[in-house]
Every structure is written in C-alpha cells, then in structure tokens.
C-alpha cells in the first residue's frame, strides 16, 4: 500500500479565510474596505458565526485585516501609515492676527472651476444629497408661502430651532427651541459669539493651528489672540490653556472640540468637562464650534462641551454646511446666558437667516432623510480618509507626518522642515490642484511646512493621481 500522506483537509474557517485573502489579493477588497459583518458573512457563506469569527481572527493574526472598535473589520493597508504630526510649541505671548490678506490671495487662486479643491474642508458635491434638496426647494418655491419668502427675524425659524433642539439630545444636551438662534452658517454664529462676549482689543484663546475663518473673524473685530497648542488626537492642550489663563486676561476661549479644522483631533469627553469647569470657575465664556460633530466614524457621536455647561457660559455653534449644503448658509447658535444679546446683534448684523433654506433643513431633519444621508456620508468619508492616508504615506516625502482623524473632513500634513507649503501651493495650482498651505492656520504665519488636505472626495484614480502630483512637487521644491 502506498504510504503517501493525504493532503490535510483545510478546516472550514481556513477556507473562509482563504476566500477573503483571495478577494484581497485580487483587489476586489482593497485596503480600508470594510468586511461584511460576522452575521452577514455567516449567512452569505452558509457557515456558523463562530467559523467566521475564527476566519477573521486568523486574518487578523496574519496582519491582513484589522478590527476597529465598534466599527467592524477592515482590510489593512499595505504601507505603514505615517506618524502623527508633532505638537508645536506656541509663543506664550498674545498677538494681533494678520491673515485676511493671505486668505484672500489663496482664495483668489481657487476660483478656477477646473482646479481640484484637494484642500477643501467640505464633502464634495457628489457626496451631498443634491437631488433630494433640489426637489424640496422646487416644491417650496412653487408653493411660495409667506414663510418661505419673508424676513425671518431672530431668533429665526421655530421649526428649525425645534428640530435642532431635538437633535441636541444626541450631543448630550437638552436644549429647547427658545435657547437657539438661527444664523447664516457657523461663520456667523462664531462672529455673534465673539461680539457678544468681547470688545475690540480683548484677548481670545484659540487653538493652534486654528481654522482661518476664526482668525479672520478675530482680525476683523480688532481682537487679539493667544495660541494654545493642539494635540493631534486630543485637541486643545488644557495644561497650556491653564498656564495662559494665569498669565493673561483672556476674555473668551474658542475651540472646535470635535474633529477640528485643520488637525481633525477630537477632545475626549472627560477633557471637555474639565475645560468647561476650568472656565466656569473663572467666569470665562467658551465658544464651541461643533460643525463636524455629526461626521464621526465611530459608533457614538462625540458629546459637546455644551452638555457639561451648568453656568450658561458655553456658546455652542453649528450648521448644516458640512452635512447638507454649505451654500444654504443655515446654522445656529445656543448662546446660553447670552441668548438675548446674540439675537439682538444678529438683527443688526443680517436681519435674518435665509427663510426658504431654513424650512428645507428643518424638513430634512424631521423626515429621517438626514440620518440616512449622514450615515452613508460618514462611511464614504471614512473610506476616503483611509485611502488618502495610504496614498500620502506612499507618495509624500520621507519623514512626512499625518493626523488620523476619526471624523470630519480634513487632515493635517507635516512635511519635513524646510519645505515651503506656499511654494507647493503655487506649483500645484499650475497643475490645477489646490491644497491649503499651513501659514493660513496661524495668526503669525507659522506652519510653513504644513498643509491641510481634505478627504471629502470620493476615492478615485483622479484623487490618487493628484496626491502623487502633490507628493512629487513636495519632493522637488527647494528645501530651505
Ligand atoms: C471649523 C469651522 N468652523 C466654521 C466653518 C464655517 O462654516 P459655515 O459654512 O457653516 O459658515 C468652517 C468651514 O470650513 C469650519 O471648518
């Protein structure tokens, strides 16, 4: 009798793992893709749940896939992702803010519609619910009711405030419609908050790096800023803030705790509480910009600082700009004890918020269409973030560092020292690609070797190609 050993029969879970490996090797499943849930795969493959779990465990131990808490299993990237950016030390002095001219110059160069807005902090139009919004606008325009075309004086649309108040439960708050004022986007909400809490010459503590819109508002109101460093994952560093509060007469603090722009960091809840308590003790208002809070990749929406506010000193600002349509200019503010003052400044500033758009956003929020849309938007952004991170790791110069946002639309790229992001911006524009150069995000034009890149684009060969181009340019610009 022959003694040739029989090939060992592959176990069922190994066969499942083999099939998944083959799908990954052939590119059917790509790095960053989410694998089917355990239950779904078990019914698709007609195997038990424990067989799928064993298959996933095997692939995890081989480094082919990874489990992400509360989110599922994902195909791992072939390239190690770049390290996170370093925290930059900030001058402890206060300064006048001078960014308006640089921002205007960069924006002027973005006007060409053929330019790919790779630095944009908004989901691209293909990710917006255009058809549905269009239908709602058309119907309401046809009906042309009094409400849709008249002035809507502050505090603004009751329906919208009611819907936002309902949503506030998800932010950890229990706001009522009376506590809200509608605004022309978060931008106006922030200006109202600054105007209600400060006067020209006052000092405001801000994140560093900071969203340039905040810097522009501070500059135009004649305020001064003190920069507080941002940790790449946890946001504004509270020990540095405590230090600044001891040294300076700070009149307000402005933060973007959830997925801030440009870093993408998210302040853990316990630090949000610490921040609110720290400022309440000193009776300093906290201006909270929560524009990206709904765009979380994890299972839970992060809370707001407002949810810890017991003294009415937190002014919470938000909008539908990143989730529905930036051009609608529909936002809101929950200004706490400053509500009457904010409503009266709003009246003198813009009289009201666009009426028709407020009604559309209120209907969208009420219909459940919002939840459905945002669920899918979050998944698409998470995939794009993963793919773009890998491409940046592959194509950007050695030593590039990159933040790892768990939500929002942007990441912060730290290039090796000496590489000028303004020079990259100029050269990339010549190839019809726009990135956002780092000096825009500092009152004093620091962050020379940093760039903001947005991941609000559907991943595509064009996006990959554009990242390769920016990487090539970054390698080629003369280093100083
Ligand atoms: C952090 C932050 N706040 C405010 C805004 C402005 O928002 P809105 O379009 O709602 O005025 C932006 C836009 O990019 C932003 O990133």
């Amino acid at each position: 009798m022959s003694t040739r050993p029989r090939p060992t029969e592959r176990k069922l879970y190994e066969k499942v793992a083999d099939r998944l490996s083959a799908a990954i090797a052939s590119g059917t499943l790509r790095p960053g893709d989410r694998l089917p849930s355990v239950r779904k795969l078990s019914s698709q493959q007609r195997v038990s749940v424990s067989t799928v779990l064993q298959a996933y465990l095997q692939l995890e131990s081989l480094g082919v896939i990874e489990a992400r808490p509360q989110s599922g299993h994902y195909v791992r990237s072939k390239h190690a992702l770049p390290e996170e950016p370093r925290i930059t030390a900030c001058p402890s002095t206060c300064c006048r803010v001078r960014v308006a001219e640089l921002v205007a110059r960069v924006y002027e160069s973005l006007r060409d519609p053929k330019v790919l807005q790779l630095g944009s902090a908004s989901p691209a139009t293909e990710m917006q619910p255009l058809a549905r919004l269009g239908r709602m606008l058309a119907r309401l325009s046809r009906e042309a009711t009094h409400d849709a075309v008249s002035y809507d004086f502050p505090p603004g649309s009751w329906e919208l405030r009611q819907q936002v108040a309902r949503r506030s439960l998800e932010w950890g708050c229990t706001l009522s419609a009376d506590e809200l004022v509608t605004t022309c986007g978060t931008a106006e909400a922030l200006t109202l908050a600054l105007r209600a809490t400060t006067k020209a010459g006052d000092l405001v503590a801000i994140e560093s790096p900071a969203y340039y819109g905040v810097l522009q508002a501070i500059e135009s109101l004649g305020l001064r800023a003190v920069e507080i460093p941002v940790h790449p994952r946890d946001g504004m560093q509270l020990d540095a803030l405590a230090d600044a509060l001891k040294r300076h007469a700070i009149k307000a603090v402005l933060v973007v705790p959830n997925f801030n722009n440009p870093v993408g960091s998210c302040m853990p809840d316990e630090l949000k509480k610490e921040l609110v308590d720290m400022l309440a003790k000193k009776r300093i208002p906290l201006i909270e910009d929560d524009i990206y809070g709904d765009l979380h990749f994890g299972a839970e929406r992060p809370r707001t600082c407002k949810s810890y506010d017991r003294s009415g000193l937190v002014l919470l600002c938000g909008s539908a700009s990143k989730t529905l349509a930036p051009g609608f200019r529909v936002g809101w503010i929950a200004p706490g004890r400053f509500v009457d003052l904010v409503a009266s400044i709003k009246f003198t500033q813009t009289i009201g918020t666009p009426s028709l758009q407020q009604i559309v956003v209120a209907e969208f929020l009420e219909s459940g269409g919002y939840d459905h849309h945002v669920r899918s938007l979050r998944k698409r952004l998470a995939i794009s973030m993963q793919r773009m991170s890998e491409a940046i790791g592959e194509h950007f110069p050695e030593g590039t560092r990159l933040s790892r946002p768990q939500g929002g639309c942007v990441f912060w790229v730290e290039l090796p020292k000496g590489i000028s992001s303004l020079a990259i911006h100029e050269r990339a524009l010549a190839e019809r690609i726009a990135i956002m150069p780092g000096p825009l995000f500092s009152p004093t034009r620091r962050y020379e070797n940093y760039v903001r890149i947005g991941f609000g684009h559907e991943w595509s060969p064009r996006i990959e190609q554009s990242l390769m181009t920016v990487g090539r340019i970054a390698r080629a610009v003369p280093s100083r």
Side-chain angles (χ1 to χ4, degrees), residues 186-414:
T186 314
E188 191 191 24
L190 292 171
T191 309
L192 291 168
L194 285 168
R195 286 186 64 187
T197 54
T198 61
K199 57 181 187 333
D202 279 352
L203 184 60
V204 181
I206 55 168
E207 295 164 327
S208 182
Y211 164 52
Y212 49 80
V214 164
L215 299 176
Q216 285 172 294
I218 289 180
E219 182 173 354
S220 72
L221 294 172
L223 299 164
R224 291 170 307 137
V226 57
E227 295 178 274
I228 312 294
V230 163
H231 182 279
R233 252 165 294 139
D234 296 346
M236 183 183 268
Q237 293 217 284
L238 298 191
D239 48 354
L241 176 65
D243 210 41
L245 289 169
K246 277 189 212 138
R247 286 165 192 260
H248 305 289
I250 291 172
K251 291 294 160 57
V253 177
L254 197 158
V255 285
V256 188
N258 294 328
F259 319 120
N260 73 355
N261 174 359
V263 178
S265 53
C266 184
M267 189 180 273
D269 287 347
E270 62 280 10
L271 295 186
K272 286 178 182 144
K273 181 169 183 324
E274 196 180 317
L275 171 62
V276 173
D277 291 347
M278 183 195 298
L279 296 181
K281 273 195 203 123
K282 295 184 178 284
R283 310 205 146 269
I284 297 173
L286 173 64
I287 302 173
E288 176 179 26
D289 177 346
D290 188 42
I291 188 166
Y292 297 107
D294 278 0
L295 300 181
H296 54 100
F297 302 157
E300 298 273 319
R301 189 210 196 275
R303 290 176 71 128
T304 51
C305 293
K306 183 77 183 167
S307 68
Y308 299 107
D309 183 22
R310 301 287 166 263
S311 51
L313 281 167
V314 180
L315 299 92
L316 171 65
C317 306
S319 74
S321 299
K322 306 298 172 179
T323 48
L324 295 181
F328 270 26
R329 309 308 303 137
V330 172
W332 46 81
I333 177 168
R337 60 166 77 173
F338 303 93
V339 66
D340 294 335
L341 182 55
V342 163
S344 98
I345 303 173
K346 161 78 187 170
F347 187 59
T348 58
Q349 194 161 287
T350 46
I351 302 185
T353 304
S355 309
L356 185 61
Q357 285 86 331
Q358 287 187 85
I359 302 174
V360 172
V361 173
E363 277 195 17
F364 211 102
L365 289 172
E366 190 177 11
S367 68
Y370 180 83
D371 297 294
H372 179 75
H373 161 68
V374 169
R375 251 197 316 276
S376 127
L377 177 60
R378 291 202 312 253
K379 280 189 196 142
R380 292 159 84 179
L381 289 170
I383 290 172
S384 175
M385 195 277 290
Q386 182 68 24
R387 293 260 166 93
M388 287 178 78
S389 304
E390 284 159 17
I392 290 172
E394 197 179 342
H395 301 301
F396 277 41
E398 184 80 33
T400 295
R401 291 166 170 259
L402 178 67
S403 61
R404 278 189 213 137
Q406 287 310 300
C409 288
V410 290
F411 23 47
W412 189 227
V413 186
E414 179 187 347

